[in-house]
Amino acid sequence: MVSKDQDFNEDALYDLFPTGEEDGYGPDQGFNTFAVINDEKLFTEEALGNPAIRAFVDAPIVVTFAQFKSSHRESEYFVHKPHLAMTGQVEGILGGVEGVSGEDPRTPIGTYVINHEQTLAYHITRTVVISDGTTAGQIIHKQPGP
């Protein structure tokens, strides 16, 4: 237990967790990386001919995807300090989310968790973040347990 009179560094606790890379859940395996998914370059000409896809690409938002392995350092930062995880300020997490400021932890980041009743430990957590340059909202999906 920590009293308000004691110095407490929660970052030191996050560093007690293994990194994803150490356990095969690093960027090379598709983890701990924020990637924009409504980037026009990701779609074929045929897909861009679909009015719904065209609207998705042209919308005044940026849609970003990332996945993390629970009980690992990067996941702890993502869950507890998303403003750092989303702005490239956590070693081991690549990319970021447009419109989120790491300088001001009060940048609004709304979060909705699917399967929140499931344990977070040992499972994969995936997020889709929508940002518009001033705020961000994310839907996190916890992989259901066995």
Side-chain angles (χ1 to χ4, degrees):
M1 188 160 158
V2 177
S3 76
K4 54 185 165 180
D5 294 330
Q6 292 176 302
D7 289 332
F8 179 68
N9 178 359
E10 68 262 15
D11 293 350
L13 292 178
Y14 304 151
D15 291 338
L16 295 176
F17 286 86
T19 67
E21 190 169 50
E22 290 172 342
D23 286 344
Y25 297 98
D28 289 345
Q29 292 77 37
F31 289 82
N32 311 328
T33 303
F34 286 99
V36 174
I37 59 174
N38 66 331
D39 183 342
E40 182 172 353
K41 294 180 291 215
L42 299 177
F43 295 88
T44 64
E45 283 188 44
E46 181 181 357
L48 291 170
N50 178 320
I53 300 297
R54 183 81 253 170
F56 177 60
V57 168
D58 292 340
I61 58 173
V62 177
V63 182
T64 307
F65 171 82
Q67 67 179 353
F68 299 90
K69 180 66 169 67
S70 297
S71 301
H72 286 80
R73 181 181 177 278
E74 299 85 0
S75 179
E76 293 299 314
Y77 271 101
F78 167 69
V79 168
H80 299 289
K81 294 188 175 187
H83 64 287
L84 297 180
M86 293 180 179
T87 56
Q89 296 187 59
V90 176
E91 185 177 339
I93 298 177
L94 303 179
V97 175
E98 187 175 314
V100 175
S101 170
E103 301 301 318
D104 184 355
R106 295 166 298 181
T107 298
I109 302 171
T111 302
Y112 177 77
V113 181
I114 298 172
N115 293 334
H116 203 187
E117 72 281 359
Q118 300 286 331
T119 180
L120 190 56
Y122 307 110
H123 298 292
I124 295 171
T125 302
R126 296 174 178 93
T127 187
V128 174
V129 185
I130 297 176
S131 58
D132 67 2
T134 61
T135 189
Q138 67 177 333
I139 297 176
I140 297 173
H141 179 267
K142 292 181 186 179
Q143 178 181 353

